Each structure stands twice: as C-alpha cells, then as structure tokens.
C-alpha cells in the first residue's frame, strides 16, 4: 500500500531528494517488542466514512456495545432474582443453574452459524432481528409457569443474543480498518459490554423488582418485562443508528448462498455435544454419577464433540476452520482467556446466590453491592484503550490472570456470611473486572486483526462461541461441586445447608472451582507472543489485499504491532491457507473467499 493511503505518514515535499542512506532498522525481539525504538505517536484517526457525523458514530458504538452486553445483561438481571424465581416455580438447584447455563449453551452453539448468516445475508438485517427477537422472548419468559418453560425459553433467548454479536463485530471491523487511537477507543468501549452488562443488568433488575418485593413471590417477572421494553427501544434505535450495507443481490439469492455453505451438521453436533455433557455434569450429584442417565449423557456428549472435531476437518465450509488454530497467538490467547472468563461467570453466579441465600439481601441491595464492579470496569476500559499500543499485551494478559485468581482467593477465605463486605467482596469485585477487561481488550483486538474484514464477523463468532460454551460447562462443574458438598441436591429452591454443616462450605468449594479455572490460564500464557497492538506500525496495513496478493486469495492482516516480520508472515500464511476463491456472493456484491479445507497444502 502506498504512503498516500497510510494515515499518520506525511508525503515527501516536491523538492525533496531521494535519500541514499537509511539508518539500520531496529529489529524486533522474539516477544514482539521494539525495546529501543523511539516513542511512537499514534494518530487519533479520521471518522470512518460509513458514519455521516461523529454523533452517529458514537450512537453506533453505543448500540454495538449494547449488543455485546445482551447475554451478560440478561444473566445479571436474572442472577440476583434466582432465589425468587426458584421459589416461585418450585425449581431444583440444577434447574436454577440452567436459567443461566441454557442461555450460554444455545448462544455458543449457534454463534458460528449465525456469523456465517450475517456475512452472507446482511449484517444490519441480522442485527435488528436479533435485538427484536430478544425483546419478544424476554417478555415470554416473564409469563413462565414452570421450570421447563423458564429454562427452555431462556435457551431461546441465547439464540437471539447470538444473532447480534457477529454483525456488530463485522460492521465495526470493516469501519475501523486501520489502527488508530480512535479504533482502540471504539473497541475498548465494545469490549466493555460483556463484563459490564452483567453488573448493569443486576442493578436495573434490582431497581425494577424493588416495588414488588412485598407483593409476593412473582416480583421477578418485572425484571424480564424491563428487559423486553429496553431491547424494543434498542431495536428501534438500531434501525436508524446502524449503517446500511449496500448490496446488489436479493435476499433470496443471498439465502441460497448461505444454505449451500452452512454447516448444519456441525451446529447440531455442537448443541447436543455441549448440552449433554453439561447436563450430565449438572445432574451427577443428584442422580448419582453411576446412574445410567448420567453415564449416557456424559458419554454421548463426549462422543458428539469428538465427531464434531473430525467433521470440521472434512467439511468444505466448516463452522470452525481447523487451520485458524495454526495461528499460534490466536490459539494461545483464546486458551489463556477462556479459563479466566469461565471463572468470572461462575463466580458472579454463586456470589449473587450467596448474597440472596446466606446474607438474605434483597435484589436491589445485591445490585448495589455489585455496583463498584461496574464503575471500576468503566475506568479500566478507558485505561486499557489508552495503553494497548504502549504496553506489551502479553503482560496485560498476565496481570488479568493474576487478578482473576486473587479475586476468587479472597472470596474462598470468607470466614462466614457476616464477614465484612469491604474486606472480602469489594476487593474481589474490583480485581475480577480487571481480569475481564484486560483479557477482553487484548483478545478482541487480536481477533479483529487475524482475519480479513469480510470474515471478521466469523472471527467474532469463534471467539464468542468458545467463551459461551465454556460458561455453560463452568456453571455445570461448579453446580456439581456445590450440590455435592451441600448434601441436599433434592432440596428444591432454598439451598438449605444440612444441620451442623458450615454454611460457607458449599460456596467456598464453588469459589475454589473458580480459582482452579483462573489458574489454568497460566498453563498457556508462556506461549503467547503478542507485543503492542493498534500502534502506528500497523498503520499502513489493512485487510485489503496487497498488489502481490491480488491474483490469489486474500490473506489476513499482517499488522499485529510489535510482531516480527517472520511472525507476521507465518500468521498471515497459516490463515491464508484456510481461504480459497469459491465465488460466493456476499452483501457487498463482490466475490470473496470462503473458508474451505486445504489439508495437504497446510499439513
């Protein structure tokens, strides 16, 4: 790409002479840093052309942040009223856990397929449909009559939440196609949605259910009505605020293209595999680990997941292209961040349940106890967006993992339910959101620079799929431990502790599960090689093909700032092997590449 198209570089003056001597460039080290390079000045960057004005740009970033917060907002809204829901609908502890787990499971299982659908049928259409259906099914949950209604419709809500994240990532990735401070800040705001959605959902849920606390056990229904009203408003706002993608193809043509490449078998294997495995883990303590149904669920789930792995290696357009995992940093960043996020979700669920059951706090007071996490999260995201291009991002991942572990250690050593909030819960909340914000910012930025722009919705789908499926598994494991220790898996909704048993013990064990999960991040962090991201060294690189690539398939963006040229070429080439021209029409009306297996070339 010429210097004319690279922001942040001044063109030479007309009377300037060619330089005959250039200083020796500073070679980056193996960790992707240029330790002796002069301090770079990163440009703020121009407003993307798809936004007619800065207010419209800010509005879209807000809507995109709401999109990524959709699932976690619902989880937060429901987590502080789980005790009330369970009591109202006579649910067991496992059924209460599935209010959250079913949403994570279906969201993860459908994420990748919906990412493909968004790329091929139109991102704005998918985005609006997701917001609208989320509003409608939230209202349906409010009228639940039994546990099965509650858990099944919660699962459908997971599908709706999965419809909004891939198009949001795809639109943002295409709009902010060049590194700049503007891009860093936009993606920092976007990354804030997932961890902060939980806290704001819980606060608003507590406020809306407060007037109904004295009216009986059904005040929790108001929280779901609130979610329905809010997302109906966001749907209307998105119709105007989300930029429209131009396309010359009819919806029917695009849908037929989607059906030709959609991996329906892979989607089914993912749903049944993860669902059965999680159900088996959850039911183990109550039904017995040796019971036929538990053994059948665990075995069948494992078999389906193994078949899924082999299926993805042979299907022409797989949901999760195996060659993507040959990008070393992509693989190890995901493996490093996943355990921490699993711990984060599990801890949030059990901490909220602990406040309701053992500390006997109302939903509003529980929400207020969680408020410091939201405030700290906002601050950390601003900080992270300002330092991604200055501080080694591997170091940020390490800091995040340490904070995850420290947070859960504090919760696990609480001596009793009357323990000081300021000594244990408050610092634990502050530390946990450091881990979430740092991990999500680094991972999201890398994912957006690992694939070309027309495949970024799929990249976001891969990221969200793994994390959401991991959340369901984490909740299943922690529930199994909790109910086993509690010794009353059939005790229904009150989660009463047997006489003579330490009331803290089941919760302590659940928090210790989170310690183990968070600590697992350190198994993979030594293999991550990411320096700074979003700096001016990436400025001249985009997702458009270079001259030398114009006759072949598009490669991934080379520009992970701070990585060595050899590392960049290796990452680019390993991902490029996933793509070959297939003539599939996408919303921009151009023929672009679609993922197919090319095992012999890459192996």
């Amino acid at each position: 790409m010429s210097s004319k198209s690279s922001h942040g570089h001044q063109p030479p003056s007309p009377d300037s002479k060619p330089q005959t001597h250039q200083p020796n460039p500073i070679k980056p080290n193996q960790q992707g840093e240029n330790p002796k390079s002069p301090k770079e000045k990163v440009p703020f960057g121009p407003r993307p052309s798809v936004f007619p004005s800065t207010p419209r740009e800010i509005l879209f970033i807000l809507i995109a942040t709401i999109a990524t917060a959709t699932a976690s907002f619902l989880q937060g809204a429901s987590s502080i009223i789980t005790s009330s829901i369970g009591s109202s609908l006579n649910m067991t502890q496992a059924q209460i856990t599935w209010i959250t787990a079913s949403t994570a499971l279906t969201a993860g299982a459908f994420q990748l397929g919906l990412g493909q659908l968004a790329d091929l049928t139109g991102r704005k259409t998918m985005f609006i449909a997701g917001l609208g259906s989320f509003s409608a099914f939230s209202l349906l949950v409010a009228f639940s009559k039994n546990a099965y209604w509650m858990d099944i419709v919660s699962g459908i809500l997971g599908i709706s939440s999965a419809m909004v994240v891939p198009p949001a990532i795809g639109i943002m990735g295409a709009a902010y196609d060049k590194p700049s401070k503007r891009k860093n800040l936009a993606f920092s705001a976007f990354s804030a949605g997932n961890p902060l959605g939980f806290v704001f959902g819980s606060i608003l849920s507590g406020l809306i259910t407060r007037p109904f606390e004295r009216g009986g056990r059904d005040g929790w229904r108001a929280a779901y009505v609130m979610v329905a009203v809010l997302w109906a408003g966001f749907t209307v706002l998105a119709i105007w605020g989300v930029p429209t993608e131009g396309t010359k193809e009819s919806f029917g043509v695009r849908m037929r293209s989607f059906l030709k490449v959609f991996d329906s078998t892979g989607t089914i294997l993912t749903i049944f595999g993860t669902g059965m495995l999680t159900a088996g883990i959850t039911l183990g303590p109550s039904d017995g680990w040796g019971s036929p149904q538990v053994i059948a669920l665990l075995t069948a789930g494992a078999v389906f997941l193994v078949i899924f792995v082999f299926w993805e290696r042979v299907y022409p357009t797989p949901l999760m292209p195996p060659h993507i995992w040959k990008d070393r940093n992509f693989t190890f960043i995901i493996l490093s961040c996943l355990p921490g996020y699993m711990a984060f979700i599990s801890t949030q669920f059990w901490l909220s349940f602990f406040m309701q059951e053992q500390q006997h706090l109302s939903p509003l007071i529980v929400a207020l106890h969680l408020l410091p996490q939201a405030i700290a999260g906002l601050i950390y995201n601003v900080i992270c967006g300002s330092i991604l291009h200055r501080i080694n991002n591997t170091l940020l991942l390490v800091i995040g993992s340490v904070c995850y572990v420290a947070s859960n250690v504090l919760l696990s050593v609480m001596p009793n339910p009357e323990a000081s909030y300021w000594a244990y819960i408050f610092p634990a909340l502050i530390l946990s959101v450091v881990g979430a914000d740092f991990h999500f910012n680094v991972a999201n930025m890398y994912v957006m620079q690992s694939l070309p722009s027309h495949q970024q919705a799929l990249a976001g789908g891969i990221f969200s799929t793994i994390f959401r499926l991991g959340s369901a598994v984490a909740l299943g494991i922690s529930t199994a431990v909790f109910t086993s220790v509690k010794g009353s898996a059939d005790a229904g909704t009150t989660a009463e502790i047997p006489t003579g048993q330490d009331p803290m013990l089941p919760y302590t064990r659940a928090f210790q599960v989170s310690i183990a999960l968070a600590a697992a991040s350190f198994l993979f962090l030594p293999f991550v090689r990411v320096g700074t991201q979003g700096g001016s060294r990436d400025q001249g690189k985009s997702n458009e093909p270079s001259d030398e690539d114009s006759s072949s398939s598009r490669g991934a963006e080379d520009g992970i700032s701070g990585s060595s040229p050899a590392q960049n070429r290796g990452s680019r080439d390993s991902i490029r092997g996933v793509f070959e021209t297939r003539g599939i029409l996408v919303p921009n009306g151009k023929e672009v590449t679609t993922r197919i297996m090319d095992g012999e070339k890459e192996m």
Side-chain angles (χ1 to χ4, degrees):
M1 183 176 291
S2 66
S3 60
K4 293 180 180 180
S5 61
S6 300
H7 299 286
H9 296 280
Q10 298 295 330
S13 59
D15 57 348
S16 62
K17 296 181 180 180
Q19 297 181 356
T20 58
H21 173 72
Q22 296 288 346
N24 292 328
I26 300 174
K27 295 182 179 180
N29 59 22
Q30 293 180 349
Q31 281 70 34
E33 294 279 8
N34 284 346
K36 298 182 180 180
S37 61
K39 183 177 180 181
E40 60 173 329
K41 184 177 180 181
V42 181
F44 185 77
R47 183 181 72 246
S49 59
V50 295
F51 304 117
S53 64
T54 299
R56 285 286 295 273
E57 178 187 11
I58 295 173
L59 175 62
F60 170 72
I61 293 174
L62 174 63
I63 296 173
T65 302
I66 291 170
T68 195
T70 298
S72 59
F73 186 97
L74 176 66
Q75 182 188 354
S78 61
S79 66
I80 66 168
I81 53 176
T82 49
S83 181
S84 299
I85 296 173
S87 178
S88 175
L89 301 180
N90 297 316
M91 301 174 74
T92 66
Q93 182 62 59
Q95 289 170 337
I96 292 174
T97 303
W98 271 97
I99 296 173
T100 298
S102 63
T103 304
L105 174 64
T106 54
F110 283 93
Q111 188 82 72
L112 289 173
L114 292 171
Q116 286 184 332
L117 184 60
D119 283 338
L120 292 170
T121 63
R123 292 167 179 167
K124 182 174 181 177
T125 300
M126 172 74 75
F127 189 84
I128 294 173
L131 292 176
S133 61
F134 189 83
S135 173
F137 285 112
S138 294
L139 188 62
L140 185 59
V141 171
F143 294 96
S144 297
K145 299 298 183 183
N146 53 58
Y148 298 104
W149 184 334
M150 185 76 202
D151 288 344
I152 291 173
V153 182
S154 293
I156 296 175
L157 278 173
I159 300 176
S160 296
S161 68
M163 294 174 67
V164 296
V165 176
I169 293 178
I171 295 172
M172 287 192 69
Y176 298 95
D177 59 344
K178 291 180 173 60
S180 64
K181 288 183 179 178
R182 195 184 201 105
K183 176 177 181 177
N184 289 356
L185 292 174
F187 275 94
S188 292
F190 180 78
S191 299
N194 210 328
L196 296 183
F198 180 95
V199 181
F200 285 111
S202 64
I203 292 172
L204 293 178
S205 177
L207 288 172
I208 201 68
T209 57
R210 177 78 171 181
F212 301 95
E213 289 177 5
R214 297 180 181 178
R217 300 183 305 174
D218 289 343
W220 60 269
R221 300 180 189 275
Y224 287 95
V225 174
M226 172 203 68
V227 174
V229 172
L230 284 177
W231 258 254
F234 295 149
T235 303
V236 174
L237 201 60
I239 294 174
W240 179 72
V242 176
T244 302
E245 297 175 294
T247 178
K248 299 179 181 179
E249 302 300 326
S250 66
F251 179 80
V253 171
R254 286 179 281 148
M255 181 58 69
R256 286 193 294 271
S257 297
F258 166 74
L259 294 176
K260 289 179 182 178
V261 300
F262 177 57
D263 185 7
S264 57
T265 301
T267 301
I268 294 172
L269 290 172
T270 303
I271 295 171
F272 282 96
T274 310
M276 289 183 172
L277 187 65
T278 306
I281 294 172
T282 304
L283 295 175
S286 59
D287 294 0
W289 293 103
S291 62
Q293 62 269 27
V294 171
I295 294 176
L297 286 170
L298 293 175
T299 303
V303 169
F304 278 129
L305 291 177
V306 171
I307 295 174
F308 170 77
V309 172
F310 283 100
W311 173 259
E312 296 299 280
R313 295 179 63 85
V314 299
Y315 192 69
T317 55
L319 283 177
M320 192 177 296
H323 289 100
I324 287 181
W325 300 104
K326 289 192 174 183
D327 183 321
R328 175 193 179 96
N329 278 330
F330 177 83
T331 300
F332 285 110
I333 287 175
I334 296 297
L335 291 176
S336 299
C337 295
L338 175 61
Y341 185 70
M342 292 170 68
F344 181 81
I345 293 298
S346 179
T347 298
Q348 292 293 337
F349 178 86
W350 292 111
L351 181 58
S352 299
F353 197 71
F354 168 76
M355 292 179 181
Q356 296 170 72
E357 289 294 325
Q358 296 302 314
Q359 296 185 329
H360 307 292
L361 302 178
S362 67
L364 179 59
I365 301 303
V366 172
L368 291 177
H369 277 63
L370 297 174
L371 180 60
Q373 190 178 55
I375 298 173
L378 289 172
I379 296 172
Y380 293 142
N381 265 281
V382 173
I383 293 174
C384 203
S386 303
I387 63 176
L388 280 175
H389 63 286
R390 297 176 181 272
I391 297 178
N392 184 292
N393 285 195
T394 303
L395 177 60
L396 295 181
L397 292 177
V398 172
I399 293 173
S401 295
V402 170
C403 290
Y404 271 139
V405 174
S407 170
N408 287 287
V409 167
L410 280 172
L411 295 175
S412 68
V413 297
M414 273 193 299
N416 52 63
E418 293 76 30
S420 170
Y421 168 81
W422 300 103
Y424 296 96
I425 296 178
F426 176 79
L429 292 173
I430 300 300
L431 288 171
S432 67
V433 79
V434 173
D437 286 354
F438 279 26
H439 278 200
F440 266 83
N441 271 279
V442 173
N444 275 335
M445 184 62 74
Y446 189 88
V447 165
M448 294 313 301
Q449 296 187 82
S450 295
L451 293 176
S453 60
H454 59 273
Q455 293 290 344
Q456 284 172 350
L458 178 62
I462 292 173
F463 180 73
S464 296
T465 290
I466 296 172
F467 277 59
R468 287 177 171 178
L469 293 178
S471 299
V473 173
L475 287 169
I477 295 172
S478 60
T479 299
V481 171
F482 181 91
T483 53
S484 295
V485 175
K486 181 166 65 68
S488 55
D490 297 325
T493 65
T494 59
E496 295 177 352
I497 305 300
T499 303
Q501 180 174 311
D502 179 7
M504 285 298 302
L505 186 59
Y507 298 94
T508 297
R509 294 291 182 261
F511 294 138
Q512 287 173 347
V513 169
S514 294
I515 293 175
L517 289 172
S521 296
F522 293 100
L523 297 175
F524 308 104
L525 284 171
F527 302 100
V528 177
R529 295 292 186 271
V530 177
T532 57
Q533 297 187 94
S536 61
R537 284 188 293 265
D538 286 330
Q539 191 66 21
K541 304 177 180 72
S542 70
N543 291 323
E544 298 301 320
S546 62
D547 294 338
E548 65 182 8
D549 294 333
S550 60
S551 61
S552 62
S553 62
R554 285 188 177 184
E557 177 178 338
D558 321 343
I560 301 304
S561 177
S563 298
S564 67
Q567 288 173 327
N568 286 337
R569 287 194 298 271
S571 297
R572 178 188 61 197
D573 294 342
S574 66
I575 296 175
R576 181 179 291 141
V578 181
F579 304 97
E580 283 190 8
T581 302
R582 294 274 293 178
I584 302 298
L585 294 174
V586 295
N588 61 8
K590 298 178 181 178
E591 289 192 345
V592 298
T593 58
T594 294
R595 303 161 293 107
I596 69 170
M597 289 286 298
D598 190 11
E600 293 182 358
K601 178 185 294 185
E602 286 295 320
M603 295 299 182

